[in-house]
Amino acid sequence: MCDQTFLAIVFGPCDKCSKEKPLRAIYIKSEQLNYCSLCVEMMATEGLHENETLASLKSEAESLKGRLEEERAKLHDVELHQVAERVEALGQFVMKTRRTLKGHGNKVLCMDWCKDKRRIVSSSQDGKVIVWDSFTTNKEHAVTMPCTWVMACAYAPSGCAIACGGLDNKCSVYPLTFDKNENMAAKKKSVAMHTNYLSACSFTNSDMQILTASGDGTCALWDVESGQLLQSFHGHGADVLCLDLAPSETGNTFVSGGCDKKAMVWDMRSGQCIQSFETHESDINSVRYYPSGDAFASGSDDATCRLYDLRADREVAIYSKESIIFGASSVDFSLSGRLLFGGYNDYTINVWDVLKGSRVSILFGHENRVSTLRVSPDGTAFCSGSWDHTLRIWA
Amino acid sequence: MENPIVREISLKMTSKTTSTTNNIAQARRTVQQLRIEASIERIKVSKASADLMCYCEEHARKDPLLMGIPASENPFKDKKTCIIL
């Protein structure tokens, strides 16, 4: 099934001492070097200041963490919902299923809208990736991946290609063609390579670069044309499950969430983690930026969704209810950021008032857990995909 | 000809310090990361909340899911049937 193997140099001349020894690959400033295990140890202890032992570093880490908490707490003068008391309450919402997209043979795992606000790409457990016209519910393209559990799919900004991946540990780009004689699978291009499953992928502002998140604990930025790794992001302590790019006006950052309960904000150019938030009590399944780019929401297996403000550097709201005990698998904001839609594992979709922190609506319809949810680019509707094999468009 | 004493010392280093040097490297990275995070500039929650509210209010009118748009403008909502007079 896997048609590519990693070229790993396991025995040979060490890049540092030139001795012939068993080698380990290490990364210095994103460059891969092969050092023998002795040189790796020497490197790790190099530059160690006097008295800098493990214990002293650990205690410094603890004191820094304490200082971080103090700094954050100093600015915590009021709660978001208190400030939002003077905002008008929202009226009743009537949102219904307007379209049901049927055609997948198994659980729908991921979906994405095209910028034309009409087309949708969705992927499922049976390895099929389908492009739909949401107005007419027609299927425009379908491709079968060589692996099952296609957990990630994305539409290119131009609308001319889609990217998808999953248990094959790769992200592949398929150009979309309307030529009936052409086989879509023939033009497939493998772009990303991870050492574990692909959990999320997204094109950046152009068709030329893709950002991926993987079960191997890293995120990576790739050039589509050459398949080259442009930048990698290390820092999560466990599988990374989701990512979202900042809205283009606010710059080159993205947020990722993982099984280590942390949400981390990264600088795409340097590969550096700028901020990290660890208040969830379980895996973070979904992260989404607020439309202004100053905040982001996350949905987690601990049955809560939370809002983190980037400039205040802390969590500012929790969206939870005692009656909600199932995890949130997917979240997205409405166009103005006032509403937060959350798809949950109890088959429902909860609609939250972002500012006041209260639930405004609960939508029923799916017959199994909601696995993915995205609002359309112009905000007229949102689409949810579920383990019941269907996608629903709500408006 | 390699000095056997030198080799002995290097072997000891490898076996004794493998786990601890890995931990030291990791601890140093953690400390460096925390230093970066502790030094960023922050604003008060009241200001951040006010800005979020401002953004919501400014864009509320253009939010179809929030305001609701007439069926004729929403491609997903079914149009009312036409009556021939």
Side-chain angles (χ1 to χ4, degrees):
Chain A
M1 182 182 88
C2 296
D3 56 358
Q4 276 201 27
T5 46
F6 286 103
L7 187 67
I9 307 171
V10 292
F11 192 92
C14 167
D15 283 344
K16 186 161 182 193
C17 64
S18 314
K19 296 204 185 126
E20 291 269 342
K21 284 188 162 183
L23 299 175
R24 261 162 59 180
I26 62 164
Y27 292 86
I28 301 183
K29 296 198 196 317
S30 298
E31 203 193 295
Q32 187 188 316
L33 298 166
N34 294 304
Y35 278 10
C36 66
S37 51
L38 182 57
C39 289
V40 173
E41 309 301 349
M42 305 262 276
M43 243 211 37
T45 51
E46 230 167 73
L48 211 56
H49 303 297
E50 212 182 274
N51 299 332
E52 198 183 62
T53 60
L54 186 63
S56 74
L57 282 170
K58 280 206 167 146
S59 66
E60 192 182 345
E62 285 310 312
S63 75
L64 277 169
K65 273 191 207 159
R67 211 183 92 192
L68 203 59
E69 281 314 307
E70 261 178 53
E71 295 287 321
R72 283 176 171 168
K74 266 189 223 167
L75 300 163
H76 188 198
D77 48 353
V78 77
E79 296 282 345
L80 172 62
H81 63 85
Q82 289 170 314
V83 177
E85 260 160 33
R86 61 179 182 81
V87 178
E88 263 180 50
L90 296 171
Q92 277 291 25
F93 279 94
V94 177
M95 267 177 253
K96 294 197 279 196
T97 303
R98 304 288 174 178
R99 300 280 188 281
T100 307
L101 305 177
K102 295 192 197 176
H104 276 295
N106 213 321
K107 310 178 172 65
V108 176
L109 301 174
C110 186
M111 56 91 29
D112 191 17
W113 287 88
C114 177
K115 287 229 167 24
D116 70 358
K117 311 157 214 162
R118 179 172 175 155
R119 289 184 176 75
I120 288 179
V121 62
S122 62
S123 65
S124 89
Q125 186 198 335
D126 62 0
K128 284 234 172 39
V129 178
I130 301 181
V131 177
W132 313 76
D133 175 342
S134 59
F135 290 2
T136 61
T137 76
N138 288 338
K139 300 181 203 26
E140 293 193 349
H141 300 90
V143 70
T144 307
M145 294 274 287
C147 68
T148 56
W149 287 90
V150 187
M151 292 175 255
C153 63
Y155 226 117
S158 67
C160 298
I162 54 168
C164 48
L167 283 188
D168 57 350
N169 301 356
K170 295 190 249 190
C171 184
S172 314
V173 175
Y174 291 86
L176 295 174
T177 167
F178 280 94
D179 188 345
K180 292 284 180 250
N181 297 329
E182 268 198 68
N183 179 12
M184 250 181 81
K187 292 262 170 138
K188 164 177 154 173
K189 177 183 251 164
S190 272
V191 174
M193 292 272 266
H194 279 280
T195 52
N196 209 331
Y197 65 90
L198 191 84
S199 53
C201 65
S202 173
F203 282 87
T204 59
N205 291 333
S206 75
D207 281 18
M208 292 292 99
Q209 293 182 351
I210 282 193
L211 195 55
T212 57
S214 164
D216 64 12
T218 68
C219 298
L221 181 66
W222 309 83
D223 175 82
V224 174
E225 198 54 51
S226 61
Q228 201 188 7
L229 174 67
L230 299 172
Q231 183 63 263
S232 66
F233 307 90
H234 299 256
H236 274 286
D239 306 18
V240 186
L241 295 179
C242 50
L243 60 81
D244 190 35
L245 277 130
S248 37
E249 309 85 51
T250 47
N252 290 338
T253 59
F254 73 94
V255 61
S256 65
C259 289
D260 56 356
K261 312 176 199 168
K262 279 204 259 188
M264 301 175 90
V265 182
W266 307 87
D267 178 326
M268 285 209 290
R269 276 168 294 199
S270 65
Q272 180 76 41
C273 168
I274 318 173
Q275 288 168 278
S276 78
F277 304 89
E278 196 171 353
T279 60
H280 269 293
E281 292 159 23
S282 188
D283 306 356
I284 298 182
N285 296 316
S286 172
V287 285
R288 194 70 66 206
Y289 266 97
Y290 189 79
S292 70
D294 289 332
F296 70 90
S298 60
S300 159
D301 275 345
D302 65 4
T304 66
C305 295
R306 293 173 199 235
L307 185 70
Y308 298 90
D309 189 291
L310 294 171
R311 295 178 309 153
D313 190 36
R314 62 173 298 122
E315 171 194 295
V316 290
I318 304 184
Y319 308 103
S320 67
K321 265 182 125 64
E322 274 193 32
S323 52
I324 301 177
I325 54 172
F326 283 85
S329 61
S330 189
V331 295
D332 203 357
F333 285 100
S334 68
L335 210 62
S336 65
R338 184 68 194 271
L339 298 174
L340 179 70
F341 300 96
Y344 288 72
N345 292 341
D346 61 2
Y347 315 175
T348 64
I349 296 171
N350 288 299
V351 186
W352 301 90
D353 179 334
V354 170
L355 301 176
K356 291 189 183 285
S358 54
R359 180 172 67 184
V360 288
S361 189
I362 176 168
L363 304 173
F364 300 94
H366 277 296
E367 291 158 21
N368 206 322
R369 52 164 93 172
V370 179
S371 53
T372 177
L373 190 153
R374 293 293 281 266
V375 173
S376 78
D378 60 353
T380 50
F382 69 91
C383 179
S384 59
S386 159
W387 281 17
D388 66 3
H389 311 188
T390 67
L391 292 114
R392 281 172 187 251
I393 315 257
W394 308 75
Chain B
M1 172 67 179
E2 248 182 44
N3 188 341
I5 298 171
V6 171
R7 201 200 290 159
E8 211 178 70
I9 293 168
S10 55
L11 275 173
K12 273 196 190 157
M13 247 187 81
T14 336
S15 54
K16 187 172 76 166
T17 55
T18 310
S19 49
T20 48
T21 46
N22 278 348
N23 285 344
I24 287 185
Q26 217 170 328
R28 279 170 97 200
R29 260 176 284 147
T30 312
V31 168
Q32 271 167 347
Q33 180 62 36
L34 284 169
R35 280 198 195 129
I36 294 173
E37 285 181 30
S39 61
I40 64 169
E41 288 202 16
R42 293 176 193 84
I43 64 173
K44 288 198 174 167
V45 175
S46 49
K47 169 92 173 64
S49 313
D51 288 347
L52 288 174
M53 273 170 49
C54 212
Y55 187 91
C56 279
E57 268 169 76
E58 268 171 54
H59 293 83
R61 260 158 290 133
K62 289 182 259 160
D63 187 346
L65 285 167
L66 188 66
M67 294 284 120
I69 55 176
S72 51
E73 284 175 31
N74 190 329
F76 294 107
K77 287 193 179 160
D78 297 313
K79 319 266 182 289
K80 293 202 175 31
T81 52
C82 303
I83 308 170
I84 300 174
L85 296 167

